[in-house]
Amino acid sequence: AILPINEHIMLARRALALLLLPLAAASEYDLCKRPVSVWAGFDQGKGISQPHAVTYHDTNIYIAGYAMGNLSFHTAHSNGNYIDHAGASATADTHADVTTHSATGSSEGSVYETDRTSQHGMDAIIYKVTLEGKPVKVFGVDIVPADEIFNESSTNGIMGGFAEFYGIDAFDQPDMVVAAGLYRGKLTYPTAAGSETLINEKDGGYSRVSTAPHLLWGGANGFVIKVDMASGEAVWATDDGLLTEDVSNRYYLRNVATTADGDVLATADERLKDQSTVGKLVKFDGEDGSKQWSVTYASVTAMYGLDGDADEETVYVLGEFKGEDIDPFGTGAKLTSKKGGAVIAALDVRGSEGPVGKWAIQCDKGDGNSVKAVGAHLYVTGELSGPTTLGDCSLTGEAGGYLAKLNKADGTCVWAKDVPSGRGATAVSDGASVWAFYSDDKKSKYGEQIIYPKAHSSDVFAAKYSAEDGAGLWATSIGGTGKDRFADAAITPAGPVLAAYAQSEEISFGGVSITNLQHARAAAERGGEVGSDWGPNRGGETAAFSLLISKTDELPPCLSSCPSGSLSAADTTVTAGMCYAHTECLDEGSASAYVPCFECKPAADGHGSQVLSGPVTVDKDRATDYCYIGDECIPEGTMAPAYKGGNDPSVCEWCVPSVAGLDWSLVDGYALDRDFAEQTEPGQAGWCRGRGCAPDGKPGKSNAFGLRFEEESNGCLKVHEVVLPPDDPSDALSAALANTPGSMPVGEMATAAIAAVRSATDENQGVELAWYWYFGNCDTKAANTNVCADTPSSTAHSMAKLTETALHYGHAMADMKVSMSLSLLADKLAEGSDEVVADLKKDAVAQMLLPFYQCAIQAAYDMDESEKKTVAQADGAACWRVIDGAAGAGFKPDDRAVLDSMFTSSEIGEFNYCSANASLLQNLPAASHRQYANFVRKGTLAIGGWNATAGEWIEGIKGDSNVHVTIVDVANGQPPKQCTFPPPPSPSAPPPPPSPSSKLSSGEIAGIAVGGAIGGLIILGLLYLTIRAVRHKGEKPIFTCLMIAPCVEGGQAKAPAPAPAAV
């Protein structure tokens, strides 16, 4: 069934219609002709493989990375053929048919449960594949621990050895390449004479365990190796100049390049003890591998991009630098980037003493990913965080990245454009066109077009540009339903070839589809289908993936005509009964792979369409339902993403289309402070970013109400409850539970709850009794908040909405604090100190009283402003009686007399709000100086404070700043009116004290119960909401002129009275 078309869905449809409707003819990325594939390939061997680099030379493609287990590369072709090392076939192999092309020899042991995920015996590999897609040869260097001890007693530590290639380039001679990477342990490589080794005995420095594809780089050395891929033998290998002597430093080899004279350059970063990094450039003789020189660039913090000139002894580097008025590469150009920016430089590397800078330019607020030399130009790309210039070219930074064409002779900018960017961003060119790639799990905007990844997962994003002026021709994404990540790309005569590592079961692109047999193999081994959490690190086994895209684009098969060449042109025609959207052809009724809550609904007259219909969030004929949030189709059950970068996803918000098709829903048993998540809680940075290493009971920031959250909480709070009824209820509790819900006035219930708290012991079930009187015990509860009607809790929620003390899904902050106090009290009565128990009782009572403070203040306002003044006075009297009965001698007599008079006088004046506000806020209920913490991921509560030195929560900690009740707990918004002092004369003398009874009249019940839809407070609430709607988000709240803002007296500002000290 399709959801009813309401206003929200219509808005969403209009939003997507703008996205999918044909664009103006002048739009970029609008060509009718689209990319097609020559072939696509997967490593189908039983194991894990992951490429990091690719290059092309003389009819062959060379893919470099690492592997565990067995390798067997298979390619699927546009003509329908399949090719592996054994030859071509008209049918694809099943997982049982796959034969091994190369075995790494990895083995089980220590932390490794299977050979195909083991670093013991893994290989850094180079796969040679012909331009036609035939796998020819695998070159591998083997790695084991340096002492060949396969447990934690090894000199390399518990993780043993590892090896992987990060860069590769070709010499100007057939089948001769150079690769560079990292290793730890004993590295053995084949040579014409047999084999040779490099040794790195350093300890990885890890006590924790992480298996592939997340290798740990501690103690790594760099190495460079020249390989004859015709024979599969190394010519030479070295780690000279590619290591750090200080084991506390880290070494990261980044890239490698050959020069016109056949020498080798490698770039690297070294992370020092103080966590700063320095860039390095090392030159090797191409014939024998001897180190020629090594230089360190102190102001360069990363050296990602590197390419050699085909005609002269020049290399081009692209990295990041930081400093003021510095010359990073000795070119004579003084550059400044206070927070870090990209720098591109040309270096003459002929000399024997080191490089000589030729020119350098910067791209401030950017970083550098890739530089490629093609003819007389360079193509550079990277990420960008704000507006900047690149030579004479200007960039806005709005797209998140940049792509530029430079003259390689002097670095002058030919053109530069804002483009999306992300993981591994790389651009390659054949001189006529430029193809740019990166990977991300979020949608990207190219010009006016939004490109989505499939299935809300990581994909490779690709775009094609004109090399002449940088105009965008088309943009698309490449991937399947799993995590597919881009690694590198190279240009070939046929078009660009990309290397990636994928976990999708199938990838289809440009007319070619190929199945990743790792899924079928895993299902067979496990006796059935496998979910998304199978494989090492619950990510699925990662397989090398490669794709050769034709440099010649073609018209999609469902476009019957496109005479102008522009997709958005009025004369472009889609085949009848079909749709073309998001670079895919769809039959009628088919859902989009990119926005799966939209489907193809061709025009009524039978013509095809470029517009999809939706969102369809719930559909009984579909396997998966979706929420449509932020222009994306979110699969049912997906947890909401983090509000701040680097944090773990939410634990309390998820997609439930049957509840909310156009927004997130709350997980039962939780509450959410979204203001805290969006405005206060920080994101994680550094190593912890996105790795989930920070939460687990570590306290983070506090919200506006003084409540401490767990780190990476995303504003989530666990709602703690006292279970009713207990196994053996007391007589008092049994009697209370026998009450009919709603039969007792709310004020009396609150008074009973307060009395139960104060008298609670470990034996008398006073906590359970207090819980019942405050929260109730009903069968039907409110959505999200689980509140029982006609209880003090329901009053708290009604008042919280009016005073901005409610959390995002409606939970009253007072209720949250009451529940936490009572839950902790239930535990501490048996084992806690008398002081802690006394504080918990004091805090529970204080929070139970706050809704009645809010009620009395708002009733006083309505006495001033509403026509139903007597109803408002009755409501205020009922609320005041609850406060007065619980406050005791601590309430100031003068203020008590003012409130007694206000709510009982037969004559109602016009200064009630200001008087009640001042009197009540100067007599806030007594509360402790302890802070409460809600550790949402652990599901626990704590009271006290965080000891940063000890790194633990200490129950006994108190502090003046940790006041459990403040003015913010009463109202978190602008006051409904300005107060001017002194007040006008009282309308009458104070009457006799009121009766101590808490019995509410019918008017009073209507005023403070949830069901009182016609009570005086509802009218008041509308007035208050109208006023508070104009408050700007994030503005500091002002609650009363007496307590916070200067009061007006005779036109002059008067200093506010001091806030009362909490007792």
Side-chain angles (χ1 to χ4, degrees):
I2 297 177
L3 283 179
I5 300 177
N6 56 31
E7 182 180 359
H8 297 291
I9 291 184
M10 291 303 294
L11 287 173
R13 288 186 174 180
R14 284 197 291 271
L16 198 68
L18 291 174
L19 172 70
L20 296 178
L21 282 171
L23 304 173
S27 296
E28 289 190 289
Y29 311 101
D30 191 41
L31 285 189
C32 282
K33 290 187 176 181
R34 294 283 152 163
V36 293
S37 298
V38 179
W39 54 257
F42 261 120
D43 171 25
Q44 308 285 26
K46 184 178 180 179
I48 287 178
S49 56
Q50 182 170 320
H52 291 306
V54 62
T55 193
Y56 170 83
H57 185 259
D58 194 28
T59 74
N60 292 309
I61 296 164
Y62 305 94
I63 304 169
Y66 75 83
M68 301 165 179
N70 300 328
L71 289 154
S72 185
F73 194 73
H74 293 213
T75 56
H77 295 251
S78 56
N79 61 7
N81 284 343
Y82 297 86
I83 301 177
D84 66 3
H85 60 278
S89 172
T91 58
D93 284 351
T94 67
H95 73 274
D97 299 326
V98 173
T99 57
T100 299
H101 192 187
S102 176
T104 67
S106 57
S107 61
E108 299 176 27
S110 184
V111 299
Y112 304 113
E113 297 177 356
T114 64
D115 61 339
R116 67 176 187 264
T117 64
S118 174
Q119 291 175 206
H120 299 327
M122 70 174 289
D123 285 6
I125 61 102
I126 303 172
Y127 222 128
K128 175 184 174 182
V129 181
T130 67
L131 187 60
E132 291 73 31
K134 177 177 174 55
V136 177
K137 187 177 292 292
V138 179
F139 171 82
V141 297
D142 187 64
I143 193 75
V144 295
D147 51 10
E148 300 191 41
I149 296 175
F150 298 90
N151 57 48
E152 60 272 14
S153 64
S154 169
T155 184
N156 293 131
I158 190 171
M159 300 301 294
F162 83 96
E164 52 187 326
F165 288 125
Y166 275 92
I168 189 168
D169 201 5
F171 292 92
D172 192 17
Q173 48 187 303
D175 262 339
M176 200 67 71
V177 299
V178 62
L182 294 171
Y183 84 101
R184 183 181 62 239
K186 179 183 178 182
L187 187 147
T188 303
Y189 53 94
T191 66
S195 66
E196 295 185 24
T197 61
L198 295 174
I199 302 292
N200 174 6
E201 296 181 335
K202 286 183 286 189
D203 191 328
Y206 297 104
S207 58
R208 61 188 178 87
V209 172
S210 179
T211 55
H214 304 291
L215 304 182
L216 300 176
W217 298 327
N221 289 347
F223 74 106
V224 176
I225 187 166
K226 182 178 181 180
V227 181
D228 183 345
M229 288 300 297
S231 64
E233 297 166 346
V235 178
W236 53 258
T238 182
D239 61 5
D240 190 10
L242 300 173
L243 52 86
T244 173
E245 298 296 339
D246 191 331
V247 294
S248 62
N249 291 357
R250 288 286 188 87
Y251 196 86
Y252 302 100
L253 194 137
R254 297 301 185 186
N255 218 324
V256 68
T258 60
T259 69
D261 289 348
D263 288 326
V264 175
L265 277 297
T267 55
D269 312 328
E270 183 175 357
R271 192 180 74 189
L272 309 179
K273 289 181 182 179
D274 63 1
Q275 301 301 301
S276 64
T277 57
V278 295
K280 292 179 175 290
L281 180 66
V282 188
K283 180 181 179 180
F284 301 92
D285 185 286
E287 290 296 320
D288 60 13
S290 60
K291 186 183 75 173
Q292 302 299 294
W293 43 255
S294 175
V295 293
T296 298
Y297 299 104
S299 61
V300 178
T301 59
M303 296 276 283
Y304 288 114
L306 175 69
D307 202 15
D309 195 283
D311 303 315
E312 57 186 59
E313 285 295 280
T314 297
V315 296
Y316 306 96
V317 295
L318 173 61
E320 297 168 33
F321 82 104
K322 186 176 181 180
E324 296 186 50
D325 199 29
I326 58 174
D327 185 0
F329 293 103
T331 62
K334 296 291 185 178
L335 308 177
T336 293
S337 183
K338 295 181 179 180
K339 295 185 178 181
V343 57
I344 308 105
L347 306 176
D348 185 330
V349 295
R350 288 174 296 181
S352 59
E353 301 299 321
V356 176
K358 299 175 68 174
W359 55 259
I361 63 169
Q362 73 177 91
C363 181
D364 197 24
K365 301 178 183 177
D367 62 20
N369 287 85
S370 166
V371 56
K372 301 289 185 182
V374 180
H377 298 100
L378 303 177
Y379 296 91
V380 297
T381 188
E383 297 182 52
L384 190 60
S385 62
T388 190
T389 57
L390 183 60
D392 293 332
C393 298
S394 297
L395 296 160
T396 68
E398 293 176 357
Y402 66 95
L403 174 66
K405 178 180 181 179
L406 310 178
N407 287 309
K408 73 177 186 180
D410 56 10
T412 53
C413 182
V414 179
W415 53 258
K417 67 187 294 117
D418 289 280
V419 299
S421 185
R423 186 185 184 109
T426 297
V428 298
S429 176
D430 62 358
S433 302
V434 183
W435 292 264
F437 305 92
Y438 71 96
S439 59
D440 204 343
D441 60 359
K442 300 177 179 62
K443 63 182 183 289
S444 290
K445 188 174 183 181
Y446 289 84
E448 296 302 316
Q449 296 197 28
I450 296 178
I451 304 298
Y452 293 85
K454 284 184 180 177
H456 205 59
S457 187
S458 177
D459 272 1
V460 178
F461 286 81
K464 184 178 181 180
Y465 303 87
S466 165
E468 180 180 0
D469 57 8
L473 305 180
W474 51 253
T476 187
S477 62
I478 304 166
T481 57
K483 295 178 180 178
D484 308 317
R485 291 173 173 167
F486 174 76
D488 194 17
I491 195 67
T492 77
V497 60
L498 65 88
Y501 43 105
Q503 293 171 349
S504 290
E505 186 169 5
E506 181 181 63
I507 294 180
S508 297
F509 183 77
V512 176
S513 297
I514 188 166
T515 299
N516 177 3
L517 298 178
Q518 304 285 2
H519 287 253
R521 181 179 293 111
E525 292 178 352
R526 293 162 176 79
E529 290 298 317
V530 293
S532 60
D533 61 347
W534 62 280
N537 300 297
R538 296 179 301 169
E541 291 181 1
T542 302
F545 172 77
S546 187
L547 177 71
L548 179 61
I549 301 173
S550 173
K551 68 178 180 181
T552 303
D553 302 326
E554 296 180 5
L555 205 65
C558 61
L559 291 185
S560 53
S561 67
C562 182
S564 69
S566 175
L567 188 63
S568 60
D571 56 358
T572 297
T573 306
V574 180
T575 301
M578 299 190 73
C579 299
Y580 182 76
H582 296 289
T583 71
E584 61 179 346
C585 293
L586 296 171
D587 294 322
E588 183 174 2
S590 297
S592 168
Y594 299 95
V595 279
C597 58
F598 287 77
E599 58 188 35
C600 175
K601 294 288 186 182
D605 59 4
H607 287 88
S609 176
Q610 292 188 49
V611 180
L612 300 180
S613 176
V616 181
T617 57
V618 178
D619 188 339
K620 65 180 179 60
D621 297 323
R622 190 172 58 196
T624 303
D625 287 328
Y626 297 89
C627 298
Y628 185 62
I629 305 171
D631 293 335
E632 293 189 62
C633 299
I634 312 294
E636 183 174 14
T638 301
M639 302 308 295
Y643 285 92
K644 294 293 178 66
N647 288 347
D648 281 3
S650 176
V651 296
C652 68
E653 288 186 288
W654 62 340
C655 166
V656 186
S658 60
V659 174
L662 302 176
D663 202 354
W664 299 106
S665 298
L666 185 69
V667 178
D668 190 44
Y670 291 88
L672 173 72
D673 189 339
R674 187 173 284 181
D675 287 343
F676 169 80
E678 292 178 338
Q679 300 171 21
T680 304
E681 184 170 63
Q684 298 300 303
W687 192 90
C688 279
R689 182 179 174 88
R691 288 183 166 90
C693 61
D696 193 27
K698 186 176 179 182
K701 301 285 187 179
S702 301
N703 71 353
F705 305 97
L707 182 63
R708 197 78 173 263
F709 285 69
E710 187 178 35
E711 276 197 351
E712 302 190 47
S713 70
N714 291 295
C716 295
L717 295 165
K718 178 68 176 174
V719 178
H720 292 261
E721 297 184 356
V722 173
V723 178
L724 293 179
D727 294 335
D728 186 18
S730 65
D731 291 343
L733 183 58
S734 296
L737 291 170
N739 281 317
T740 302
S743 62
M744 182 180 288
V746 171
E748 290 186 14
M749 295 178 72
T751 299
I754 290 169
V757 171
R758 287 173 168 168
S759 63
T761 68
D762 187 34
E763 292 80 24
N764 70 359
Q765 296 182 352
V767 171
E768 288 83 354
L769 188 60
W771 187 277
Y772 169 78
W773 286 124
Y774 186 83
F775 289 103
N777 186 40
C778 59
D779 294 327
T780 303
K781 298 183 178 182
N784 289 326
T785 59
N786 291 328
V787 170
C788 292
D790 303 325
T791 61
S793 172
S794 66
T795 298
H797 282 75
S798 296
M799 299 311 307
K801 293 175 183 176
L802 302 179
T803 57
E804 296 194 22
T805 57
L807 301 181
H808 182 74
Y809 287 97
H811 295 82
M813 197 65 232
D815 260 19
M816 292 296 299
K817 288 188 175 183
V818 170
S819 68
M820 287 187 285
S821 297
L822 292 181
S823 297
L824 285 165
L825 182 60
D827 294 334
K828 299 301 180 183
L829 281 172
E831 59 185 34
S833 69
D834 291 344
E835 183 183 7
V836 170
V837 168
D839 281 347
L840 288 168
K841 289 183 175 183
K842 185 192 304 181
D843 292 342
V845 169
Q847 295 296 334
M848 287 178 176
L849 286 172
L850 286 181
F852 298 93
Y853 272 69
Q854 295 166 331
C855 161
I857 293 172
Q858 303 241 31
Y861 176 86
D862 214 18
M863 290 166 65
D864 291 344
E865 305 294 335
S866 171
E867 294 181 358
K868 298 183 178 181
K869 297 182 183 296
T870 56
V871 174
Q873 185 185 44
D875 288 341
C879 296
W880 165 236
R881 283 198 292 273
V882 176
I883 300 167
D884 189 33
F891 207 99
K892 296 177 181 179
D894 290 346
D895 291 320
R896 177 176 266 124
V898 168
L899 295 167
D900 284 341
S901 173
M902 179 184 304
F903 293 123
T904 57
S905 174
S906 59
E907 296 186 30
I908 299 175
E910 298 181 352
F911 201 71
N912 299 290
Y913 165 75
C914 293
S915 295
N917 201 34
S919 296
L920 287 167
L921 293 183
Q922 290 188 106
N923 293 274
L924 290 176
S928 77
H929 283 252
R930 299 180 189 271
Q931 189 169 44
Y932 288 64
N934 190 303
F935 299 116
V936 66
R937 297 179 191 277
K938 295 186 72 174
T940 60
L941 296 172
I943 181 175
W946 178 253
N947 187 312
T949 303
E952 61 181 338
W953 189 269
I954 306 297
E955 185 175 274
I957 290 181
K958 295 185 179 182
D960 291 339
S961 61
N962 295 337
V963 183
H964 194 59
V965 173
T966 69
I967 294 172
V968 180
D969 290 289
V970 181
N972 191 28
Q974 293 280 24
K977 61 192 263 185
Q978 190 76 18
C979 293
T980 303
F981 284 84
S986 175
S988 65
S995 166
S997 171
S998 296
K999 185 74 173 177
L1000 304 183
S1001 67
S1002 58
E1004 292 164 343
I1005 293 173
I1008 64 174
V1010 168
I1014 62 172
L1017 290 181
I1018 301 303
I1019 298 172
L1020 168 65
L1022 293 174
L1023 289 169
Y1024 186 85
L1025 287 169
T1026 301
I1027 295 167
R1028 75 187 177 98
V1030 303
R1031 185 171 69 90
H1032 294 292
K1033 190 173 184 180
E1035 183 179 338
K1036 291 185 180 294
I1038 304 173
F1039 311 109
T1040 166
C1041 67
L1042 178 64
M1043 302 307 302
I1044 300 296
C1047 299
V1048 177
E1049 182 178 18
Q1052 300 295 321
K1054 187 175 78 172
V1063 179

